[in-house]
Amino acid sequence: MADAGYLTIGKVVKRLQGQYPDLSISKVRYLEDEGLLNPSRTPSGYRLYSQHDVKRLETILYLQKNRFMPLSVIKEELEKEANGEVSTSSVAGRSVLPPEVDDEETINKLHPISRMPELLNVSVTFVRQLADAGLITLKRSPHGRDLVDGHDFALIRSCDELRHYGFGAKNLRQYVMAANRESAMFEQALVVFARKGGGVEKLPTEENKKAFNQAFFQMLVLTNQVRDALITRQIRKSFKDMGADA
């Protein structure tokens, strides 16, 4: 089957990480567990992804990242498309969210918090809870209105999706503290990289900026893989101690 264009899960992740740096093997497996992917398997149980599977994964990742669609909606839309049903939204280009939500201009703007139900299908109360937990920062307009940064849209959607699994805004506060700690480590590592790379700090050419950004995203990918592995190991150990399989 591999000779017919099938890829292992590791090769799929490697192929797509350039466009989606936070993609990991554990995330692909999670999407499979949620019923969004159904790769073939060898007699020994190894996953093999066809070109159709890879394209489907790309579609899922695109809709998550650029259209802020929750997995439940993505799954529904993919099923409708597979069944040839007419839908009010389309994975090919239209979204159940307003078309302007994934527009670059919109992402780069501030939006009244009152528009969050319309734009992201989340309540104003939930967005305020995220702000109180430190996950996002609300801006203040000259007229005293609370504004949401469009760059936070993807984060808000992810937090909303996590509510399905019992993660509230207060539960996610620990990630804010972890990010504050780790950002200092990243800053130091990037300074070292810049110096080793010929002085990106002193000569901010487009080529150096590109190398700098690539290094940063690769650091994110690798540290996420370390984090995923450590959490997975701990969860497996906990379930094993309870006499169950994880």
Side-chain angles (χ1 to χ4, degrees), residues 2-45:
D3 294 336
Y6 284 77
L7 300 174
T8 62
I9 190 170
K11 289 184 178 180
V12 171
V13 170
K14 185 175 181 180
R15 172 182 288 192
L16 299 181
Q17 272 183 339
Q19 188 174 1
Y20 302 98
D22 61 341
L23 184 63
S24 64
I25 289 177
S26 61
K27 181 172 183 177
V28 177
R29 287 175 176 167
Y30 169 74
L31 293 174
E32 180 183 343
D33 292 340
E34 291 296 302
L36 283 100
L37 296 172
N38 185 29
S40 302
R41 288 186 180 262
T42 65
S44 56

Side-chain angles (χ1 to χ4, degrees), residues 21-219:
D22 61 341
L23 184 63
S24 64
I25 289 177
S26 61
K27 181 172 183 177
V28 177
R29 287 175 176 167
Y30 169 74
L31 293 174
E32 180 183 343
D33 292 340
E34 291 296 302
L36 283 100
L37 296 172
N38 185 29
S40 302
R41 288 186 180 262
T42 65
S44 56
Y46 288 101
R47 296 171 175 82
L48 289 177
Y49 292 80
S50 67
Q51 295 304 310
H52 173 75
D53 293 326
V54 175
K55 184 64 177 178
R56 183 181 174 95
L57 175 57
E58 283 186 284
T59 299
I60 294 168
L61 297 174
Y62 170 81
L63 293 175
Q64 274 192 307
K65 178 179 179 180
N66 297 293
R67 295 191 178 273
F68 316 106
M69 293 173 67
L71 291 180
S72 58
V73 175
I74 293 174
K75 183 178 180 181
E76 180 181 344
E77 295 306 313
L78 288 172
E79 289 175 351
K80 287 180 179 179
E81 184 184 51
N83 294 330
E85 298 179 22
V86 178
S87 171
T88 55
S89 61
S90 169
V91 295
R94 295 185 300 276
S95 168
V96 293
L97 299 176
E100 70 271 14
V101 168
D102 65 345
D103 181 82
E104 184 176 354
E105 182 180 354
T106 300
I107 293 175
N108 290 326
K109 289 171 56 178
L110 299 174
H111 306 271
I113 193 172
S114 59
R115 290 199 65 200
M116 293 305 101
E118 171 193 348
L119 291 174
L120 300 178
N121 196 29
V122 297
S123 69
V124 171
T125 299
F126 177 63
V127 176
R128 290 196 185 281
Q129 289 173 347
L130 295 180
D132 291 341
L135 287 148
I136 65 172
T137 301
L138 299 177
K139 310 293 184 181
R140 200 75 168 175
S141 76
H143 302 290
R145 293 188 301 173
D146 287 327
L147 305 175
V148 179
D149 191 331
H151 291 97
D152 287 333
F153 280 5
L155 175 59
I156 294 171
R157 292 303 306 174
S158 296
C159 293
D160 181 48
E161 187 74 19
L162 281 168
R163 287 199 290 179
H164 176 69
Y165 300 97
F167 289 83
K170 291 183 179 180
N171 301 122
L172 299 176
R173 184 178 296 167
Q174 61 180 306
Y175 291 100
V176 178
M177 296 184 288
N180 290 338
R181 292 194 302 268
E182 292 181 29
S183 61
M185 177 181 67
F186 274 88
E187 289 174 3
Q188 182 178 0
L190 288 169
V191 168
V192 173
F193 170 80
R195 291 172 178 169
K196 288 184 177 179
V200 175
E201 293 177 297
K202 298 179 180 179
L203 299 173
T205 64
E206 288 302 319
E207 183 178 352
N208 284 340
K209 289 180 181 179
K210 183 177 180 180
F212 191 82
N213 287 331
Q214 287 178 339
F216 173 57
F217 285 127
Q218 185 62 14
M219 289 179 192

